[in-house]
């Protein structure tokens, strides 16, 4: 609770106490019974005020919320600083498209342009060591006790899963998109070092998963704020 809320609550309790006391005195004979009743009411109201003051002193809810906000903002910064490198190959159509380092930003990603260039339903290929290094950071956020559950759920698009080699699988080695995370110097495009996920994750699931997560973070911040965050996403 904020100090203003606590102060207003105590003032309202004191006001209610005087109103109740006056009504009791007005509607009753001022005898030992009334004095006893007033004493009980006084004790109850004092206990309530002390409880509010103690709760405000420890301020658990605010401390927990501050922890949640810190970890959510840290995740947001990490997601936004993620850079991905893309190589799209469609051998049957003789398409080869390379995109340099792109950060997870709606404007820089330019989904409309990507959809005109890349088949969003094609399979994503990753390198185990690169993916594992990036995933470790994401898993730490998912395991954080203060991370809101709805945001943890939105991170499930990227998680530990079995990987399968594709170098001898014609279904995947003629039409694919290689994705590297935070690795601008990666120039190894040989298929023998690239793998697909067990469920053959598509590029649409990957890229829209990021956007959905960013949207959920912004929604969470706006719900718990008195004004729109207006974030640069």
């Amino acid at each position: 609770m904020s100090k203003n809320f606590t102060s207003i609550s105590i003032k309202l309790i004191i006001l209610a106490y005087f109103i109740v006391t006056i009504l009791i005195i007005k509607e009753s004979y001022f005898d030992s019974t009334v004095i006893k009743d007033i004493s009980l009411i006084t004790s109850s109201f004092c206990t309530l005020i002390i409880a509010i003051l103690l709760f405000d002193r420890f301020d658990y809810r605010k401390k927990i919320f501050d922890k949640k906000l810190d970890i959510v903002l840290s995740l947001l910064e990490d997601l936004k600083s993620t850079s991905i490198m893309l190589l799209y190959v469609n051998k049957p159509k003789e398409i080869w498209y390379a995109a340099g380092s792109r950060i997870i930003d709606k404007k820089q990603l330019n989904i409309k342009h990507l959809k005109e260039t890349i088949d969003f339903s094609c399979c994503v290929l990753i390198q185990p060591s690169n993916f594992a290094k990036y995933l470790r950071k994401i898993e730490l956020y998912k395991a954080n006790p203060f991370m809101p559950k709805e945001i943890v759920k939105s991170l499930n698009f990227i998680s530990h899963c079995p990987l399968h080699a594709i170098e001898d699988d014609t279904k995947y080695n003629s039409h694919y998109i290689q994705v590297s995370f935070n690795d601008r110097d990666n120039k190894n495009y040989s298929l023998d070092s690239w793998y697909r996920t067990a469920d053959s994750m598509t590029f649409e699931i990957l890229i829209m998963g990021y956007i959905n997560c960013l949207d959920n973070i912004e929604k969470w911040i706006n719900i718990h704020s008195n004004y729109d965050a207006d974030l640069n996403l």
Side-chain angles (χ1 to χ4, degrees), residues 15-142:
L15 177 62
Y17 166 74
F18 280 115
I19 291 174
V20 171
T21 302
I22 290 171
L23 288 175
I24 289 175
I25 294 173
K26 184 178 179 180
E27 299 297 328
S28 309
Y29 293 106
F30 196 74
D31 54 20
S32 59
T33 302
V34 174
I35 293 174
K36 182 180 178 181
D37 290 341
I38 293 175
S39 297
L40 288 173
I41 291 171
T42 301
S43 175
S44 298
F45 274 91
C46 287
T47 300
L48 181 57
I49 290 173
I50 291 171
I52 291 175
L53 289 173
L54 287 175
F55 186 85
D56 186 59
R57 177 186 174 188
F58 293 109
D59 213 1
Y60 289 124
R61 284 190 294 184
K62 184 178 183 304
K63 289 179 180 178
I64 291 174
F65 175 75
D66 286 344
K67 289 278 190 180
K68 286 187 173 185
L69 182 59
D70 286 343
I71 196 65
V72 168
L73 292 178
S74 179
L75 169 63
L76 177 60
E77 290 176 356
D78 267 348
L79 288 180
K80 287 284 291 179
S81 65
T82 295
S83 64
I84 58 176
M85 293 188 67
L86 312 174
L87 174 63
Y88 174 61
V89 175
N90 189 333
K91 291 180 180 178
K93 294 185 178 181
E94 298 183 347
I95 297 175
W96 191 92
Y97 173 79
S101 181
R102 304 283 185 93
I103 60 172
I104 304 299
D105 180 283
K106 292 179 183 178
K107 294 177 182 178
Q108 189 172 130
L109 285 174
N110 195 344
I111 299 299
K112 182 180 179 181
H113 171 69
L114 282 176
K115 283 188 173 181
E116 293 172 351
T117 311
I118 296 173
D119 179 3
F120 271 42
S121 66
C122 78
C123 180
V124 168
L125 302 185
I126 55 179
Q127 291 181 308
S129 59
N130 172 257
F131 182 67
K133 181 179 179 181
Y134 180 69
L135 186 58
R136 278 195 294 271
K137 182 184 292 187
I138 300 297
E139 290 295 333
L140 286 174
Y141 282 113
K142 292 169 72 173

Side-chain angles (χ1 to χ4, degrees), residues 206-224:
L206 177 67
I207 208 67
M208 299 312 293
Y210 275 112
I211 292 176
N212 177 59
C213 188
L214 292 176
D215 288 341
N216 277 326
I217 290 174
E218 184 173 34
K219 181 180 178 181
W220 185 88
I221 292 173
N222 285 335
I223 287 174
H224 294 86

Side-chain angles (χ1 to χ4, degrees), residues 134-224:
Y134 180 69
L135 186 58
R136 278 195 294 271
K137 182 184 292 187
I138 300 297
E139 290 295 333
L140 286 174
Y141 282 113
K142 292 169 72 173
N144 191 292
F146 296 104
M147 182 64 72
K149 292 181 180 179
E150 57 269 39
I151 295 179
V152 170
K153 185 177 179 180
S154 71
L155 284 170
N156 285 340
F157 74 97
I158 183 167
S159 58
H160 286 290
C161 60
L163 300 178
H164 298 282
I166 55 92
E167 57 180 321
D168 296 324
D169 193 335
T170 56
K171 180 180 178 180
Y172 298 102
N173 64 20
S174 62
H175 184 207
Y176 57 84
I177 178 167
Q178 294 175 331
V179 179
S180 299
F181 302 90
N182 299 327
D183 188 4
R184 299 181 181 182
D185 298 324
N186 185 8
K187 301 188 185 304
N188 183 5
Y189 300 120
S190 175
L191 290 180
D192 60 0
S193 65
W194 293 82
Y195 292 71
R196 66 175 177 85
T197 61
D199 60 355
S200 299
M201 180 173 60
T202 64
F203 183 66
E204 181 172 21
I205 290 175
L206 177 67
I207 208 67
M208 299 312 293
Y210 275 112
I211 292 176
N212 177 59
C213 188
L214 292 176
D215 288 341
N216 277 326
I217 290 174
E218 184 173 34
K219 181 180 178 181
W220 185 88
I221 292 173
N222 285 335
I223 287 174
H224 294 86

